Amino acid sequence: MAGSSPRATAAVENLRRICEQELHGQYELEVIDVMLHPELAEQEKVLATPTLIKQLPPPLRRVIGDLSDSEQVLLGLELRQVIQPPLPTEN
Amino acid sequence: MLELDDDDAAVEKLPTGMPSFDIIAKGGLPKNRTTLVSGTAGSGKTVFAMQFLAAGIRDSGERGVFVTFEESARDIRKNMRSFGWDLAQWERDGLLAFVDASPDPHIETVVSGSFDLGALLARVEYAVKKVGATRVAVDSIGAIFSQFADQSVVRRELFRIAAGLKELGTTAVLTAERVDDYGPIARFGVEEFIADNVMILRNALGDETRRRTLEIVKFRGTDHQKGEFPFTIATDGGVVAIPLSAMQLSQKSSNVRVSSGNKELDAMCGGGFFQDSVTLISGATGTGKTLSVAQFLNGAGEGERCLLLAFEESREQLFRNAIGWGVDFEQLERDGRLKVVCDYPDIAGLEDWLVNIQAIIREFKPKRVALDSLSALERIGTVKAFREFVLGMTSFIKHQEITGLFTATTASLMGGTSITETHISTLTDSIILLRYVEMFGEMKRGLTVLKMRGSIHDKGIREFEIDGTGMHLGGRFKNVSGILSGHPVHLSPADLERAWSEFDTQMGRRETAASAPGSERRTGGERRRPT
């Protein structure tokens, strides 16, 4: 995130809530301020803030925004299986 | 207070290190401002943006940051090698830094809620401070619109980045895509509002050839030259603009005469060609244009170098023919007095030819330049591009105090004018016509000096012959009229007499009307009769 904007604060709060609910506290979260550590943003090739990078478990996934849409976050991080609609049966 | 003073000062220009562009921009890009460079795909935006940085690094010790949204930094490093710019070395030396914001196909990104591009801004600032950059290039801002769905966010963030670049004290070039060479300034319709200044690079297709032009649309608060200027992208120099208006202004004029290589022709021209003049020789195929060129080159003084640009014949053909007129090109080349550039005109565009030829002239420093023929070059470009080529060539040659001789081929064997001639006759100082004249079952050749700026010249149409030692001018064609129109009419002595007496009567009448004694004028007329 960039600085301590309301958007950044909201993103952290939203993420903690999601993680508590879905992962039952089994997570590790590192918050980086790109204003203080632009070299890390450069290294990770991040453009948008806030950006959530899921490093483990693989695959590597990114979600950008204040994470207000929990469903999108879970889909983006591939922490929830998408319920596939049944395939149409062949006649 | 100090800030107020700074704001009051006129817009300062930053010389870009692209001399030809700086002429058009009247000094360079406005300093500490952002300039949008918009163009269609392949119009040279990335090259221009990188050249802006490269010129700063190479010429004025200014450091640069290149922000890329489109190509990866790796690709750009590779592509720019062809211009002789070793970006990797500059990066190692701390003169250049990349901010690689190109899309990474391996990273999947999902959007959830609102966001900004704060990280990008932080990275740009970080890079600028790290190398101490005063020049920044952003390529291209259109590509970032396609990376994010929410365009209002991108728009807002681009404004922030543009403002940030100014706050950092940098002069920035932002590139943007256009859909058409003639249409809206840029694809998303907002790009031009992000930057202070707008310029357009075009690569328009016309008559099956592409023509690059550069136009400055607006420079906020400062002046620039208006209209489209042709440019080319040269492998050793990047974008080379061709500011025609600037070249025209700097022409000098001398009264020094040089030999055309033919004494009789010199006499017809009032003593020879002017040293810094350009002469056009026009004629049908086989009338002796290339011969005139050979004589012109052979007529150079001791220690003077000559350049021959041959677009019509192969080297071997040319050399063999010259031997037939007593001119040994091979020997001249061995002596270092002659350089022959022999190529198909189609291998390059007219702008490229102009830049190439100028480079050759600068390097070889000839006193005489002959081009055989303009008509061959005319075929490869549009009328406008061709005019610009001739204008560029003539002004460059004159500026360097070089004597130029261009040839043009007429389409019809007898008489007529070539298209080349009509387009460029006003650009050359002198025009010499070579024409076939059909007389009593025989083709004879005629020569006339049609115009010669700033000099008296023989107005007659002179017969000439070609033998193993070159061109020999004879007397005037007698008893023939209509040679130049291509319909020679033979007049018997009786016809001539009648024509002249008619003339005298007319003159006499006019004199009488003016109540002046006509007899003297009549004898004046008598004297003019051919014998």
Side-chain angles (χ1 to χ4, degrees), chain A residues 12-13 16 24 28 30 65-67 72-73 85 87:
Chain A
V12 175
E13 277 171 13
R16 288 203 193 277
H24 315 292
E28 206 174 296
E30 189 185 356
D66 61 13
L67 311 178
Q72 279 296 100
V73 176
L87 289 167

Side-chain angles (χ1 to χ4, degrees), chain B residues 80-328:
Chain B
M80 297 299 155
R81 286 301 299 233
S82 59
F83 296 106
W85 303 328
D86 190 348
L87 306 189
Q89 186 58 46
W90 289 340
E91 285 177 83
R92 279 194 291 275
D93 294 345
L95 301 171
L96 174 75
F98 269 105
V99 173
D100 190 342
S102 60
D104 186 337
H106 301 296
I107 298 176
E108 274 183 44
T109 303
V110 173
V111 178
S112 165
S114 70
F115 67 95
D116 56 34
L117 298 180
L120 173 64
L121 190 58
R123 286 169 65 187
V124 174
E125 277 185 21
Y126 171 63
V128 166
K129 285 178 180 158
K130 193 174 72 181
V131 297
T134 49
R135 298 187 181 204
V136 175
V138 180
D139 183 52
S140 73
I141 58 175
I144 195 155
F145 277 101
S146 48
Q147 281 195 42
F148 297 97
D150 192 342
Q151 300 204 349
S152 63
V153 170
V154 176
R155 200 152 79 199
R156 186 189 67 213
E157 294 302 300
L158 283 174
F159 273 110
R160 258 178 75 194
I161 291 170
L165 290 172
K166 281 164 87 169
E167 264 168 46
L168 288 165
T170 62
T171 306
V173 166
L174 319 172
T175 71
E177 294 83 25
R178 319 179 67 200
V179 182
D180 297 313
D181 276 313
Y182 295 91
I185 285 181
R187 175 170 287 161
F188 296 96
V190 294
E191 296 92 327
E192 64 259 44
F193 302 108
I194 292 164
D196 299 305
N197 313 306
V198 176
M199 51 180 280
I200 290 176
L201 301 180
R202 292 190 176 88
N203 189 21
L205 185 66
D207 290 350
E208 299 183 5
T209 54
R210 292 244 172 227
R211 182 165 170 274
R212 295 184 187 278
T213 62
L214 177 160
E215 181 189 8
I216 295 171
V217 180
K218 74 163 183 185
F219 263 10
R220 230 172 238 170
T222 174
D223 200 16
H224 59 86
Q225 288 197 29
K226 283 146 195 91
E228 290 183 42
F229 294 87
F231 77 94
T232 182
I233 296 181
T235 47
D236 54 346
V239 171
V240 183
I242 303 168
L244 296 170
S245 48
M247 291 194 283
Q248 270 179 292
L249 286 171
S250 54
Q251 280 173 22
K252 288 179 230 160
S253 180
S254 89
N255 288 319
V256 180
R257 303 260 187 177
V258 298
S259 172
S260 67
N262 183 310
K263 283 200 176 63
E264 294 142 331
L265 184 58
D266 286 348
M268 277 188 82
C269 293
F273 298 156
F274 285 119
Q275 191 181 36
D276 54 359
S277 73
V278 172
T279 303
L280 179 72
I281 293 198
S282 155
T285 174
T287 43
K289 293 188 302 297
T290 309
L291 161 63
S292 309
V293 164
Q295 290 195 334
F296 172 69
L297 296 175
N298 202 36
E302 271 307 309
E304 287 183 351
R305 283 194 285 267
C306 300
L307 176 66
L308 171 58
L309 307 158
F311 296 109
E312 294 230 311
E313 291 166 291
S314 74
R315 221 182 133 79
E316 288 70 27
Q317 232 176 333
L318 199 66
F319 281 39
R320 187 198 60 205
N321 294 349
I323 291 278
W325 304 313
V327 178
D328 192 347

Side-chain angles (χ1 to χ4, degrees), chain B residues 490-505:
Chain B
H490 304 281
L491 304 169
S492 65
D495 288 336
L496 265 181
E497 184 64 31
R498 201 164 53 237
W500 278 107
S501 67
E502 180 74 11
F503 177 76
D504 288 348
T505 321

